[in-house]
Amino acid sequence: MSATIVPLPPNSSSETVDFLRRMASMVSERNGEMLLRAASLIESLAQRAMSAERLYHEQQIESTRNTELREAAELAFDAERGKLLGLMQHAESHIGKLTSELDGLRASVDRFNETSVAVPIEVLRLARTQFDYLSSGFARKGDVISQAMSEIGAFAIDQALTAKKTDSA
């Protein structure tokens, strides 16, 4: 919104008003009143024109300032948006890597689960005690083969318990 402002020549309205007032004093009452009203109207319009000119100038400055602020805000927004997009892409890449790693771990756990069974340690200790009891019973009866098998079972459980202790240490 641009408008051409043509400033009034200095003192032109005051000279005109002074002339009209002098003229009003020389003419009849009705014409004199009309000339005085015209002089007052010219003064009022000149003041309104100067106020409008000031207001227009202030609004033009404000508009320029608002445009600069808007442009700065747009630049800041674009910069932050770029940063956020970069962070999102990095996060998506990281999520992709973690998903691949998780899939690998799941496959590894699945392969492990196919070849092993999870047993609580207390159950293993109890089984170890039972193998010892069986081994001593077979030894009393003279069944060497059954005694050896019981001792092998006890030894295997000892190996599993020892491996568990070293894993957790």
Side-chain angles (χ1 to χ4, degrees), residues 114-159:
E114 290 173 0
T115 61
S116 63
V117 175
V119 178
I121 292 175
E122 287 303 315
V123 171
L124 288 177
R125 288 186 182 137
L126 195 91
R128 171 71 169 93
T129 304
Q130 288 175 347
F131 276 120
D132 285 342
Y133 178 77
L134 287 171
S135 177
S136 63
F138 290 132
R140 275 191 307 256
K141 291 182 182 179
D143 188 354
V144 180
I145 295 175
S146 296
Q147 179 186 359
M149 288 175 59
S150 296
E151 287 176 1
I152 291 171
F155 180 75
I157 291 175
D158 282 341
Q159 292 265 322

Side-chain angles (χ1 to χ4, degrees), residues 98-116:
L98 290 175
T99 301
S100 296
E101 188 176 329
L102 181 61
D103 290 343
L105 289 172
R106 282 184 180 144
S108 175
V109 167
D110 289 344
R111 283 190 306 272
F112 177 77
N113 286 339
E114 290 173 0
T115 61
S116 63

Side-chain angles (χ1 to χ4, degrees), residues 13-58:
S13 64
S14 64
E15 289 175 5
T16 303
V17 169
D18 289 343
F19 172 76
L20 290 174
R21 287 198 174 129
R22 280 192 312 268
M23 191 67 134
S25 64
M26 293 185 224
V27 293
S28 67
E29 287 182 24
R30 172 86 175 122
N31 289 337
E33 287 176 14
M34 294 295 276
L35 288 173
L36 287 175
R37 270 183 46 201
S40 295
L41 187 59
I42 289 172
E43 282 180 328
S44 172
L45 290 174
Q47 287 177 351
R48 285 178 62 189
M50 286 189 298
S51 293
E53 194 174 314
R54 270 194 309 272
L55 181 61
Y56 174 78
H57 182 67
E58 289 169 3

